[in-house]
Amino acid sequence: MSWFTFLPLAVMLALSAVLGRVPVPLHPSWSARLLATTGAMTAVAALGTGVFVAINYGATLTPSAAAHVPEWALFGDDRPVPDVVGLPAALLTAAGLLAAGRAVLRWARELRAARTRAGAPLETEVPIAVAVPGRHGGVLLSRGLLRRLAADELHVVFQHETSHLRHRHHRYLASGALARALLPALRPLDRRLRLAVERWADEDAAEAVGDRAFVARTIAKVALAHPPAAPGPAAAFAESGVIERVEALLDAPPAKNSVTGPLLFMGNGVVTSTLTAATLQLDHAVASGLLALLALR
C-alpha cells in the first residue's frame, strides 16, 4: 500500500466538494446530471477504497488467508497495512454500507406508502404535491392543495411534477441521498443536486405554461403554506431552495447548453469513471481475467 492508493478518492472528494459549493453555470438539467454522476462515482470510489484497504489489512493480520484472495484484490507489494489505516478503513466501510442500506430501506418504505395513496388525494390541509415514480405512481396531491390553488395554478403544479416523472428525477435524488449517507461530507453536493432537480422541473413548467412570473408566484404561494419537508423518494413541489428557485424564474430563461452541457458531462464522466475504476482496481481485475483465459488456451 502507498499514498497512491488514496489519491483517486482524494481527487474525487475534492471535485465533489467544489461542485457542492460552487454553482455550475449550466442549465439545471445538465447541472443535475453532473452532480448526480459525481456523487455516485465518489460514493463508489469511497467504497472501493475502503473495501480494498480492508481486504489487504485482513491479509496483513492473517498472511495465510492471502492465498485465498484473488491476486488482483491485493495491492501488489509486501508492505503491511498498518492498524492506524486498516482498522478505520474496515470500520468506516462497514458503517457506510449500513448507512446506505438503511437509506435504501427507508426510501422503499416511503415509496410503497406513497404508491398506496396515489389513487386519491391526501386527507390533509397541508398543501402537498409529490411525484411518485413507478408503474403505479403518479402525481399525489393533498386536499389542502386542491382547495388552495386555482385551476391555472394546479396546472403549474402538474407540469412541475410530471417533469419529475418524465425525467426520472427520483434516480438523481437517490444518487445524491446514497452519496450523502455513505459520505456525510457530500451533504452540500446533495443539497445542490436537489436544487438543480427542482430548478429543472421549474423550467419545464415555465416552458409549458409560458409565464415564468406566474410559475414563480405559484411556487412561492405553496411554499408559504408548506411546512419544511424531510427528504423523501420523490421531489416535493415546494421543498428546499424556494428563494433561489423563485429568483431564477423571475430572471431570463437559462441557456440550453446544447454543446457545453454534453461536453462537460462527458468529460466529467470520463474523469470520474477512470478514477473510480482505479479505486476498484479494475485494471488488475481485467488483466487477471485475461491471463486466466490465456492460461486455459
Side-chain angles (χ1 to χ4, degrees), residues 2 22 33 49-50 63 65 74 97 115 122 127 143 154 211 219 241 262 269 274 276 294-295 297:
S2 66
V22 179
R33 293 182 176 103
T49 301
L74 301 174
L97 288 171
R115 285 169 181 166
L122 292 173
R143 293 200 181 278
L154 286 173
D211 188 341
I219 291 173
T274 301
T276 302
L294 291 174
R297 294 181 61 186

Side-chain angles (χ1 to χ4, degrees), residues 22-275:
V22 179
V24 182
L26 292 174
H27 189 276
S29 61
W30 291 112
S31 295
R33 293 182 176 103
L34 193 70
L35 292 166
T37 301
T38 304
M41 289 295 185
T42 304
V44 174
L47 280 179
T49 301
V51 166
F52 282 106
V53 171
I55 289 173
N56 284 266
Y57 179 59
T60 299
L61 295 178
T62 55
S64 59
H68 303 286
V69 177
E71 185 67 26
W72 59 268
L74 301 174
F75 286 141
D77 55 46
D78 297 328
R79 283 177 289 182
V81 178
D83 293 339
V84 71
V85 175
L87 188 58
L91 293 176
L92 290 173
T93 301
L97 288 171
L98 179 61
R102 292 177 60 183
V104 170
L105 290 175
R106 184 178 67 249
W107 272 48
R109 286 196 302 267
E110 292 175 353
L111 273 176
R112 283 197 299 269
R115 285 169 181 166
T116 58
R117 302 174 182 176
L122 292 173
E123 296 296 337
T124 176
E125 289 303 312
V126 176
I128 296 173
V130 177
V132 183
R135 181 179 301 177
H136 303 292
V139 178
L140 179 62
L141 304 177
S142 68
R143 293 200 181 278
L145 185 78
L146 294 172
R147 293 191 183 101
R148 193 178 297 270
L149 299 186
D152 52 355
E153 294 170 328
L154 286 173
H155 179 59
V156 171
V157 174
F158 272 105
Q159 290 297 329
H160 178 100
E161 299 301 333
T162 54
S163 172
H164 286 316
L165 296 174
R166 185 169 63 253
H167 299 298
R168 295 178 172 86
H169 285 165
H170 63 284
R171 298 181 180 178
Y172 296 80
L173 298 177
S175 171
L178 286 175
R180 182 190 66 212
L182 284 165
L183 297 167
L186 297 188
R187 288 181 184 274
L189 184 141
D190 178 54
R191 285 195 295 269
R192 195 166 292 280
L193 171 58
R194 297 181 69 83
L195 176 60
V197 167
E198 291 301 313
R199 286 277 300 111
W200 186 352
D202 290 343
E203 291 299 329
D204 282 353
E207 189 172 337
V209 172
D211 188 341
R212 298 177 63 83
F214 181 68
V215 174
R217 288 195 301 272
T218 302
I219 291 173
K221 180 178 180 179
V222 177
L224 288 173
H226 196 281
F237 179 71
E239 49 179 29
S240 60
V242 173
I243 295 176
E244 294 93 332
R245 292 165 58 192
V246 170
E247 289 177 344
L249 285 167
L250 294 177
D251 203 350
K256 294 291 186 179
N257 301 128
S258 56
V259 175
T260 56
L263 286 176
L264 284 175
F265 176 64
M266 288 188 293
N268 178 75
V270 170
V271 171
T272 56
S273 60
T274 301
L275 292 171

